[in-house]
């Protein structure tokens, strides 16, 4: 049962902040509270009608002191200024991997950018996301870029030699390689254990990205979903023979990699219902609490 309304709001409409799992959004009074389950989009917003007034209903969990959503967009990320990545960018192997990644993106796009360093990666990513009309096309293009980073024989060989016969070791190896080689892209990472719902602990099969540089610099939920989360999960499953779940936290920009864990479907994973970020640079950004325009979930299950 939801608690009785204790506060009201007028335009611009505001709702209480979410938890890390995006499951504690307060329903608007215009929704039927007797329903056992809210639609995924209703978890994120009240009515968007121009003159609609609504009441903010506190969730069963204690809400943060600062509202996270306004009718001008979702306030993503921590309030602190981003850290310096100068020391990470100065490492020779990070420079080499960044340069390789840029070359592969240029080939995929058939165009380059005048930007240099990490700014070039972000600029090319935005070009990639704006090139295609449908998110699935962006996801497939990104997956091809990921595949092109490796020798053609390597993913299949890894699947045959590690993923199928020794899946736990395969998960640990991928966690170690991810933490070692991807800090230039995502910022500081650390290997961690995974605790499953049944209490089982999988040792050193996870990677925690402390504050994702890629997400913060891009400033866009659809880039996170279409150029990182979905294609990376699919790449590991289809090419490396390994399940992977990536769980971004849009409040603090952290992200948990869980190797060996099957991802939720798009209809079950609440990150696919995230509203547009208030800081999103896209000219198509919604000026309300609607689902991000660049994230689309098709088929049954979307309410």
């Amino acid at each position: 049962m939801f608690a009785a309304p204790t506060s009201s709001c007028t335009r611009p409409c505001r709702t209480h902040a979410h938890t890390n799992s995006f499951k504690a959004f307060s329903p608007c009074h215009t929704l039927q509270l007797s329903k056992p389950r809210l639609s995924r989009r209703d978890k994120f917003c009240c009515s968007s009608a121009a003159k609609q007034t609504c009441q903010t209903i506190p969730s069963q969990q204690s809400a943060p002191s600062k509202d996270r959503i306004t009718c001008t967009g979702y306030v993503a990320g921590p309030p602190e200024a981003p850290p310096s990545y100068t020391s990470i960018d100065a490492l020779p192997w990070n420079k080499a991997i960044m340069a390789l990644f840029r070359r592969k993106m240029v080939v995929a796009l058939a165009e380059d950018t005048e930007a240099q360093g990490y700014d070039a990666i972000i600029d090319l990513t935005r070009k990639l996301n704006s090139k295609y009309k449908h998110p699935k096309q962006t996801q497939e293009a990104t997956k091809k870029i990921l595949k092109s980073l490796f020798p053609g024989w390597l993913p299949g060989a890894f699947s045959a030699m590690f993923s199928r016969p020794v899946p736990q070791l395969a998960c640990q190896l991928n966690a170690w390689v991810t933490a070692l080689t991807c800090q230039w892209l995502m910022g500081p990472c650390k290997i961690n254990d995974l605790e499953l719902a049944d209490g089982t602990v999988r040792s050193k099969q996870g990677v925690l990205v402390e504050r994702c540089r890629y997400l913060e610099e891009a400033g866009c939920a659809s880039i996170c979903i279409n150029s990182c989360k979905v294609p990376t999960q699919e790449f590991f499953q289809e090419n490396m023979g390994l399940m992977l779940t990536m769980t971004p936290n849009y409040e603090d920009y952290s992200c948990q990699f869980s190797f060996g864990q099957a991802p939720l479907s798009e209809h079950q994973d609440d990150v696919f219902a995230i509203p547009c970020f208030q800081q999103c640079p896209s000219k198509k950004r919604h000026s309300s609490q609607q689902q991000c325009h660049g994230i689309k979930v098709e088929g049954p299950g979307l309410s």
Side-chain angles (χ1 to χ4, degrees):
M1 294 293 293
F2 289 101
T6 59
S7 61
S8 62
C9 61
T10 57
R11 191 186 182 199
C13 172
R14 295 178 181 269
T15 65
H16 279 290
H18 66 283
T19 63
N20 291 353
S21 61
F22 301 104
K23 294 181 179 177
F25 275 92
S26 302
C28 179
H29 74 291
T30 58
L31 304 175
Q32 296 295 322
L33 298 187
S34 59
K35 289 185 178 180
R37 180 180 177 86
L38 297 175
S39 70
R40 294 167 70 243
R41 291 181 182 176
D42 288 337
K43 291 179 182 178
F44 288 97
C45 61
C46 292
S47 171
S48 59
K51 296 183 180 180
Q52 179 76 46
T53 61
C54 71
Q55 295 172 321
T56 301
I57 304 172
S59 67
Q60 295 177 356
Q61 301 184 32
S62 57
S65 59
K66 179 183 179 181
D67 287 344
R68 301 296 300 184
I69 292 189
T70 72
C71 284
T72 58
Y74 171 63
V75 183
E80 298 83 11
S84 171
Y85 299 101
T86 303
S87 59
I88 291 178
D89 291 342
L91 296 174
W93 57 87
N94 285 338
K95 288 183 177 180
I97 299 172
M98 187 188 302
L100 173 64
F101 197 79
R102 175 176 179 164
R103 289 198 301 272
K104 298 300 183 180
M105 294 187 76
V106 169
V107 170
L109 283 166
E111 65 173 304
D112 203 344
T113 175
E114 294 182 358
Q116 299 297 317
Y118 197 83
D119 290 341
I121 300 298
I122 296 300
D123 191 37
L124 291 169
T125 299
R126 289 176 178 153
K127 290 178 184 291
L128 183 69
N129 276 257
S130 63
K131 179 178 181 178
Y132 300 104
K133 293 183 178 180
H134 198 281
K136 287 296 182 185
Q137 294 174 294
T138 304
Q139 294 165 14
E140 288 298 322
T142 304
K143 197 159 48 174
K144 289 180 180 178
I145 293 172
L146 291 176
K147 290 174 63 177
S148 71
L149 295 171
F150 301 90
W153 56 268
L154 194 151
F158 183 89
S159 178
M161 295 173 64
F162 294 97
S163 298
R164 289 197 291 270
V166 283
Q168 181 176 348
L169 176 60
C171 290
Q172 292 172 337
L173 286 173
N174 275 281
W176 180 76
V177 172
T178 299
L180 178 67
T181 64
C182 294
Q183 295 200 30
W184 70 270
L185 180 65
M186 303 180 297
C189 309
K190 59 183 179 183
I191 296 174
N192 62 0
D193 298 339
L194 302 178
E195 183 173 354
L196 306 185
D198 62 2
T200 303
V201 176
R202 293 178 176 175
S203 176
K204 303 186 184 306
Q205 292 185 206
V207 175
L208 178 64
V209 181
E210 297 176 1
R211 179 169 174 165
C212 184
R213 180 185 189 182
Y214 187 70
L215 172 59
E216 186 160 18
E217 290 291 333
C220 179
S222 66
I223 285 180
C224 171
I225 297 296
N226 300 325
S227 288
C228 189
K229 175 179 166 65
V230 171
T232 304
Q233 290 177 167
E234 292 182 352
F235 168 76
F236 273 94
Q237 180 177 351
E238 297 169 7
N239 299 101
M240 304 290 283
L242 205 62
M243 290 293 185
L244 168 65
T245 294
M246 296 170 63
T247 309
N249 181 328
Y250 294 127
E251 275 200 20
D252 61 10
Y253 286 153
S254 65
C255 185
Q256 176 66 51
F257 283 60
S258 301
F259 288 98
Q261 182 174 321
L264 296 172
S265 71
E266 295 178 353
H267 305 293
Q268 297 174 312
D269 194 338
D270 288 326
V271 300
F272 287 88
I274 188 72
C276 279
F277 290 178
Q278 191 176 65
Q279 62 267 46
C280 178
S282 172
K283 294 181 180 179
K284 295 181 180 179
R285 180 177 66 81
H286 290 307
S287 59
S288 67
Q289 299 165 338
Q290 301 177 42
Q291 180 187 31
C292 176
H293 72 277
I295 302 174
K296 298 186 186 300
V297 180
E298 297 180 346
L302 178 63
S303 53

